Amino acid sequence: MSENNIEANEKKSLNFIEEIIEQDISNNKNSQRVHTRFPPEPNGYLHIGHAKSICLNFGLAKKYNGKCNLRFDDTNPVKEDVEYVDSIKEDIEWLGFKWDGEYYASDYFDQLYLWAVELVKKELAYVDDSSQEEISKNRGVPNKPGTESLYRNRSVEENLRLFKGMKNGDFPDGSRVLRAKIDMASPNMHMRDPILYRILHSNHHRTGNKWCIYPMYDYAHGQSDSIEGITHSVCTLEFEVHRPLYDWFCKTLEIHHPQQIEFARLNLSYTIMSKRKLLQLVQEKQVMGWDDPRMPTICGIRRRGYTPEAIRNFAETIGIAKRNNVIDLSLMEFCVREDLNKIANRTMAVLNPIKLIIDNYPENTQEELEAVNNPENELAGKRKIMFSKELWIERDDFMEIPSKNYFRLYPGGEVRLKYAYFVKCESIIKDNEGNIIEIHCTYDPETKSGSGVIQRKVKGTIHWISANHCRKAEIRLFDRLFNVTEPDEAEEGKTFLDNINKESLSVINGYIEPTLLDDSVLTKYQFERLGYFCIDKDSTAEKLVFNRTVTLKDSWNKIQK
RNA sequence: UGUCCGAUAGUGUAAUUGGCAACACGACUGUCUCUGGAUCAGUAAAGUCUAGGUUCGAGCCCUAGUCGGACAACCA
């Protein structure tokens, strides 16, 4: 490939934000510096949607040899907590990113206050005594101008005195606000004298009781970016309408002016992504916690067995654009499968057992067979598994009356037992109610795995567990991330809780290879044909608990039946 | 009857900035004497929301529509 082609290919993969950045670099803007930031509010745990933003912001910094800050947007103390700060840091690190500076919007409260005083002095801000209802009403509607507040033209001196009073705690919550004086007739609602400060007598998780007035997002965000020398302030599409205000503050205060760039947030099919709703699930104990494997939180997905690598690949795959979209969950599952295929050891397990007896296999005999741990990685080595007369197989792998394209076991049919022999089904035994309780087979000793060429073929291979050499395990099966039929369309009288799939967790008693016991918590396995599992952190030697990490299409439904 | 943003195979993202519409997932077909829900190979599938215009040439530029999203918290 010629150099030109390589160049062309690289250029091809640029997303629109990278294009902006490269243009800025070639124009020598910001002295060719690239500095981004990830600015979560510490009011909940990070979810897969944040992962997209994290990968973007940290990824841009890395790509252009720049920096990326972690800044907590902690301007609303009533919703925030240090618990969230800690979890956010843990999740970002787990995803594999390091921030260059750790900052808090609350670090800038003093500076923000001084700037507010400056705006008052410039007659660009005023204290408004109106009630919340009045302010809201006077703001008007998008296609009609609002009406100006009675307090809009107070003197600078009175404004300074009242704003100082607000800061000193002279007034109760909600009695007054500081507003910017911009344009009550602006077609952009955010420019109709936005609120800068509100009174909140509330303890802040970092500044304690120092402040009783707190800046609003719009007033704090751009200036925080500016203070940190951010060059490209990347955020989601809903902030697009806020950009004129972002620009207004930087321009009016004559400070470093970062460029706000918006992109479409991640929507995943069947997945609840609203922080508010996730919080509700946790508070109402619909889930075991923020890290419940059914949650779309980063820690939940982690516990489900996803790897950071897989999530980063997913973020890369879905791309960055301004168009609203819904990504299919199967794409994310593809990404884990791709990664886990390379690193997860294979093992055998039977979730829904049925007894298989080999009539022509000698009693009281056992045999050691060799199984590969990972066909995609020789270094993973091999393990010994025991074979004997009585086995457990998957109920699903036997059909009394086989359907057309059924290649597994049925009366008179022959399959390979993985790593072992061909077995042919000779008869079945049923209980009084007609349920199959035993499958009787004969095996062909000539067909031992790895023994070489064989005259005849079988179409199916099934997994199995030796009944006398296995361990019973309680297996928790989790369906996909919390399934929602209509993500945001709760019908009248219903909340989203009525629409979530509450059957997505079930406990099954299955059988597993004893080798699993040797491994530590949170090790990942691919169970033959059953998908990927992750030994949960709640496991003990007596009670193994598995989180299913990937549902291979509808295998879940089959197992359930 | 407001402002801003968007529209490209089923889904998502590209298209060297005006030059042969491509990539991934999915679907389908085939391959494989050790999972036939795996792997590997291959195939189909959009002429770019609509109508005009500029141009040798338009997914890209212009005009007017259509559809979709965001915005009226003392949340972020």
Side-chain angles (χ1 to χ4, degrees):
Chain A
M1 195 185 275
S2 74
E3 274 183 36
N4 280 343
N5 281 340
I6 292 170
E7 236 170 66
N9 279 349
E10 277 176 6
K11 190 147 194 177
K12 217 174 190 177
S13 67
L14 288 190
N15 63 47
F16 80 98
I17 299 180
E18 291 165 338
E19 281 179 17
I20 293 173
I21 290 178
E22 298 210 348
Q23 203 163 33
D24 288 346
I25 290 173
S26 63
N27 292 339
N28 209 24
K29 193 178 170 185
N30 299 309
S31 322
Q32 304 193 345
R33 216 163 41 82
V34 173
H35 200 158
T36 57
R37 97 269 96 108
F38 175 64
E41 183 189 13
N43 66 346
Y45 280 60
L46 261 24
H47 56 60
I48 183 72
H50 295 108
K52 177 180 180 182
S53 173
I54 291 168
C55 292
L56 211 211
N57 277 298
F58 285 93
L60 288 172
K62 193 173 179 186
K63 179 163 184 173
Y64 295 104
N65 285 319
K67 289 182 176 175
C68 182
N69 289 355
L70 170 61
R71 184 178 67 243
F72 291 95
D73 242 335
D74 53 351
T75 55
N76 186 5
V78 299
K79 285 188 176 178
E80 297 155 7
D81 196 279
V82 277
E83 178 198 347
Y84 301 128
V85 172
D86 295 339
S87 76
I88 287 167
K89 290 201 271 190
E90 189 188 335
D91 288 343
I92 296 172
E93 281 176 330
W94 178 77
L95 275 176
F97 296 106
K98 286 197 183 89
W99 48 91
D100 288 280
E102 178 180 329
Y103 301 106
Y104 296 78
S106 52
D107 294 340
Y108 313 133
F109 282 173
D110 286 298
Q111 177 62 255
L112 290 169
Y113 178 80
L114 292 177
W115 277 330
V117 170
E118 191 181 322
L119 289 177
V120 170
K121 287 179 179 163
K122 286 181 174 171
E123 295 189 66
L124 289 170
Y126 61 97
V127 172
D128 193 333
D129 301 357
S130 309
S131 68
Q132 193 167 154
E133 295 71 38
E134 285 168 329
I135 291 177
S136 170
K137 204 181 90 199
N138 290 337
R139 194 158 4 234
V141 289
N143 51 3
K144 277 184 201 154
T147 50
E148 296 186 353
S149 167
L150 296 173
Y151 307 95
R152 199 171 198 260
N153 294 312
R154 288 218 247 234
S155 69
V156 170
E157 292 67 33
E158 191 182 7
N159 278 323
L160 284 176
R161 185 174 54 77
L162 288 170
F163 185 44
K164 200 169 182 181
M166 283 170 61
K167 181 193 175 218
N168 291 340
D170 298 344
F171 312 117
D173 286 3
S175 56
R176 286 175 225 266
V177 291
L178 184 75
R179 297 178 75 177
K181 194 187 287 187
I182 306 181
D183 178 8
M184 286 306 287
S186 170
N188 183 341
M189 298 297 288
H190 295 278
M191 301 300 276
R192 323 248 263 224
D193 288 11
I195 291 169
L196 270 34
Y197 273 94
R198 77 284 214 188
I199 303 172
L200 240 38
H201 290 270
S202 174
N203 194 284
H204 186 280
H205 62 101
R206 297 195 87 239
T207 60
N209 291 319
K210 182 179 175 190
W211 296 88
C212 63
I213 54 170
Y214 291 93
M216 299 290 290
Y217 165 86
D218 282 312
Y219 182 66
H221 198 92
Q223 288 90 306
S224 299
D225 282 345
S226 179
I227 292 168
E228 292 174 24
I230 302 301
T231 55
H232 303 269
S233 178
V234 179
C235 62
T236 47
L237 240 32
E238 65 267 31
F239 292 106
E240 218 159 24
V241 238
H242 295 244
R243 195 188 334 130
L245 189 50
Y246 184 107
D247 294 339
W248 189 87
F249 286 124
C250 288
K251 219 165 116 189
T252 309
L253 294 167
E254 296 171 8
I255 55 178
H256 166 66
H257 193 155
Q259 181 181 3
Q260 175 177 307
I261 305 166
E262 308 86 9
F263 70 98
R265 71 184 327 152
L266 170 66
N267 295 299
L268 256 190
S269 55
Y270 316 117
T271 307
I272 297 168
M273 214 76 97
S274 143
K275 257 190 188 179
R276 208 194 79 242
K277 288 177 182 170
L278 294 177
L279 179 66
Q280 194 182 340
L281 287 171
V282 173
Q283 284 177 338
E284 293 183 9
K285 303 209 187 301
Q286 301 275 351
V287 292
M288 296 176 289
W290 285 99
D291 65 345
D292 186 300
R294 290 164 296 175
M295 293 281 273
T297 49
I298 292 176
C299 52
I301 292 171
R302 168 166 71 226
R303 206 170 145 193
R304 204 167 226 265
Y306 276 65
T307 58
E309 175 84 339
I311 294 175
R312 280 187 261 121
N313 284 343
F314 175 62
E316 182 69 30
T317 305
I318 59 179
I320 300 296
K322 293 196 80 156
R323 164 147 124 239
N324 293 298
N325 53 41
V326 180
I327 306 283
D328 200 289
L329 193 50
S330 63
L331 187 60
M332 190 164 86
E333 291 179 340
F334 173 84
C335 290
V336 223
R337 226 179 299 148
E338 197 179 35
D339 189 38
L340 255 28
N341 263 336
K342 288 180 286 191
I343 61 167
N345 279 352
R346 274 44 163 187
T347 191
M348 293 204 282
V350 172
L351 299 191
N352 190 8
I354 186 166
K355 190 63 84 61
L356 184 147
I357 295 168
I358 304 169
D359 292 329
N360 63 339
Y361 196 87
E363 300 270 358
N364 303 320
T365 304
Q366 60 188 43
E367 197 175 340
E368 206 175 62
L369 302 173
E370 205 168 52
V372 298
N373 286 327
N374 186 340
E376 294 186 22
N377 178 13
E378 266 187 46
L379 297 175
K382 295 181 175 178
R383 67 186 187 283
K384 306 286 186 197
I385 49 175
M386 302 306 285
F387 185 77
S388 63
K389 188 182 177 76
E390 285 194 18
L391 310 172
W392 293 111
I393 65 163
E394 207 71 56
R395 194 168 284 270
D396 188 46
D397 287 342
F398 181 83
M399 273 183 99
E400 190 175 0
I401 302 156
S403 56
K404 218 178 183 176
N405 284 317
Y406 192 75
F407 296 110
R408 286 166 279 164
L409 200 57
Y410 54 89
E414 192 173 38
V415 295
R416 172 179 289 285
L417 294 172
K418 178 127 176 145
Y419 302 121
Y421 303 92
F422 284 11
V423 288
K424 187 175 181 186
C425 173
E426 305 290 354
S427 61
I428 52 176
I429 296 178
K430 294 181 178 179
D431 65 13
N432 295 334
E433 285 156 12
N435 301 311
I436 301 169
I437 50 170
E438 278 180 12
I439 299 168
H440 283 260
C441 292
T442 51
Y443 87 116
D444 180 351
E446 302 299 310
T447 58
K448 184 169 176 177
S449 179
S451 63
V453 186
I454 289 181
Q455 305 306 323
R456 63 187 192 277
K457 288 184 183 182
V458 286
K459 281 186 169 173
T461 302
I462 64 172
H463 57 275
W464 52 274
I465 290 284
S466 172
N468 292 318
H469 306 90
C470 68
R471 190 175 172 85
K472 200 169 181 178
E474 184 182 301
I475 299 178
R476 258 195 248 157
L477 292 179
F478 294 94
D479 196 2
R480 300 179 155 192
L481 308 182
F482 251 124
N483 252 306
V484 195
T485 46
E486 286 287 321
D488 274 307
E489 303 298 326
E491 295 151 41
E492 331 122 37
K494 287 185 167 183
T495 71
F496 78 102
L497 288 173
D498 297 305
N499 284 342
I500 61 171
N501 173 15
K502 289 177 183 164
E503 306 303 315
S504 57
L505 167 73
S506 70
V507 177
I508 289 180
N509 283 309
Y511 295 94
I512 57 163
E513 284 183 29
T515 46
L516 282 173
L517 286 175
D518 302 333
D519 292 285
S520 58
V521 166
L522 286 174
T523 306
K524 290 162 189 70
Y525 288 96
Q526 181 185 356
F527 285 173
E528 296 295 349
R529 206 174 60 87
L530 295 172
Y532 296 86
F533 288 75
C534 166
I535 300 180
D536 198 85
K537 65 178 186 183
D538 295 339
S539 288
T540 64
E542 287 72 42
K543 184 183 172 187
L544 282 172
V545 181
F546 293 88
N547 288 322
R548 186 183 196 121
T549 72
V550 181
T551 47
L552 289 175
K553 300 209 172 168
D554 52 355
S555 68
W556 161 263
N557 294 326
K558 282 193 173 177
I559 291 161
Q560 288 291 287
K561 276 171 195 166

